[in-house]
Amino acid sequence: MLKLHQFERTWGIPNLSPFCCKIETYLRMAGIAYEIKPALPLRAPKGKLPYISDNGKTLGDSRFIIEYLKSTYHDLDSGLTPEELAISIALQRLLEEHLFWVALYSRWQFTDENWQVNKQAIFGALPPIVRDVAASHTRKKIQQQIYGHGMGRHQAEEIFALGKQDIDALSAYLGHKPYFLGDRPTTLDASAFGLLINISGCPIESPLKEHALIKENLLAYIERITHSFYPDLQHP
Ligand SMILES: N[C@@H](CCC(=O)N[C@@H](CS)C(=O)NCC(=O)O)C(=O)O
């Protein structure tokens, strides 16, 4: 059976990594059987999670994983027009290459309270000394990545202003549709759900989360996908 290597589940959401959550959501939306293997990025083929192993192949990066799932199992995007596919790619890039960095900044840099919550979720299971060394080394590395991306060169209020624009754009485009591209879920929904639940549904406090929490259509969308595809995660 296909194995999905990802962070341990925590915070009552599918995964604390938007990209791991994206792949697990795609697998569930497409009805592909899988098994979870808890992992840390260190051993991943590209040093990042998620990765999958299947039929003797190991594959990293959610975009290449989804190409593989589409060609080997089931393509959630098969009914889309070229124009819809273009919108799908553009919005995935907004989510994964822009808004993601605002979320990353919130967790690894914005406040010490957020960092402690994030540290506990990712490194909490390690023995104390190893945990502190690994956590501070990784924090430094991720902060360098945020700076290298360019997001980390702005002031906090500028970073959150950029993130709020993305949330506004996503909310406006979703409108009253059940899914981003109509009545049925596509890859774009796996990507959007993965990041949006990681902004609005996790214990990382920021102006970005506050802004997401006032978008009723985005909250209903997250609730709808959780209800349809994660019945095992719903709270009484
Ligand atoms: N482009 C990659 C991004 C994956 C990614 O950034 N994963 C993060 C977790 S959200 C990671 O493993 N980071 C570890 C690191 O950078 O050391 C994808 O689509 O899978």
Side-chain angles (χ1 to χ4, degrees):
M1 190 187 293
L2 183 150
K3 292 185 180 53
L4 169 60
H5 304 260
Q6 61 175 0
F7 294 100
E8 292 269 14
R9 188 163 280 171
T10 184
W11 293 344
I13 62 173
N15 205 273
L16 59 68
S17 155
F19 300 100
C20 296
C21 185
K22 172 187 173 188
I23 293 302
E24 187 168 5
T25 304
Y26 187 99
L27 290 165
R28 289 184 177 215
M29 286 174 166
I32 303 167
Y34 66 96
E35 190 183 321
I36 289 179
K37 292 279 172 194
L40 287 174
L42 203 63
R43 298 230 175 86
K46 294 184 177 176
K48 286 180 187 273
L49 295 177
Y51 69 98
I52 60 161
S53 36
D54 193 37
N55 286 324
K57 285 193 196 68
T58 299
L59 210 56
D61 195 292
S62 67
R63 292 160 297 185
F64 297 121
I65 296 170
I66 285 185
E67 283 312 305
Y68 172 80
L69 297 178
K70 284 181 173 183
S71 59
T72 313
Y73 293 99
H74 183 69
D75 183 353
L76 286 178
D77 299 338
S78 60
L80 298 181
T81 64
E83 188 184 350
E84 287 169 332
L85 283 170
I87 290 166
S88 172
I89 289 291
L91 286 181
Q92 285 179 68
R93 299 296 189 259
L94 173 146
L95 287 152
E96 298 175 17
E97 307 294 344
H98 191 264
L99 183 55
F100 166 71
W101 290 93
V102 182
L104 205 63
Y105 170 83
S106 315
R107 288 183 186 188
W108 294 83
Q109 197 164 330
F110 178 49
T111 61
D112 196 51
E113 288 78 10
N114 284 353
W115 163 239
Q116 292 305 330
V117 173
N118 189 43
K119 178 180 168 186
Q120 177 60 27
I122 298 176
F123 304 96
L126 299 176
I129 295 177
V130 182
R131 178 182 60 216
D132 288 347
V133 172
S136 79
H137 170 78
T138 310
R139 188 182 195 197
K140 202 164 164 203
K141 190 185 73 177
I142 302 273
Q143 288 185 348
Q144 282 165 352
Q145 289 175 6
I146 296 170
Y147 187 81
H149 170 273
M151 193 59 83
R153 295 162 201 241
H154 306 304
Q155 298 300 311
E157 57 276 18
E158 294 174 322
I159 294 174
F160 291 121
L162 292 171
K164 287 179 191 177
Q165 286 178 342
D166 294 349
I167 296 285
D168 288 343
L170 291 165
S171 174
Y173 191 73
L174 178 65
H176 298 294
K177 300 191 290 293
Y179 295 102
F180 270 96
L181 294 168
D183 290 337
R184 56 182 196 85
T186 65
T187 302
L188 173 56
D189 296 294
S191 171
F193 175 73
L195 184 54
L196 290 172
I197 197 165
N198 262 288
I199 290 171
S200 66
C202 69
I204 297 292
E205 305 309 323
S206 74
L208 184 70
K209 177 176 176 180
E210 284 165 25
H211 195 68
L213 287 176
I214 59 171
K215 299 291 179 183
E216 285 178 15
N217 67 336
L218 293 181
L219 299 180
Y221 169 80
I222 294 166
E223 181 53 39
R224 189 156 55 244
I225 293 182
T226 307
H227 180 79
S228 303
F229 299 104
Y230 289 94
D232 46 323
L233 270 187
Q234 282 172 65
H235 307 294

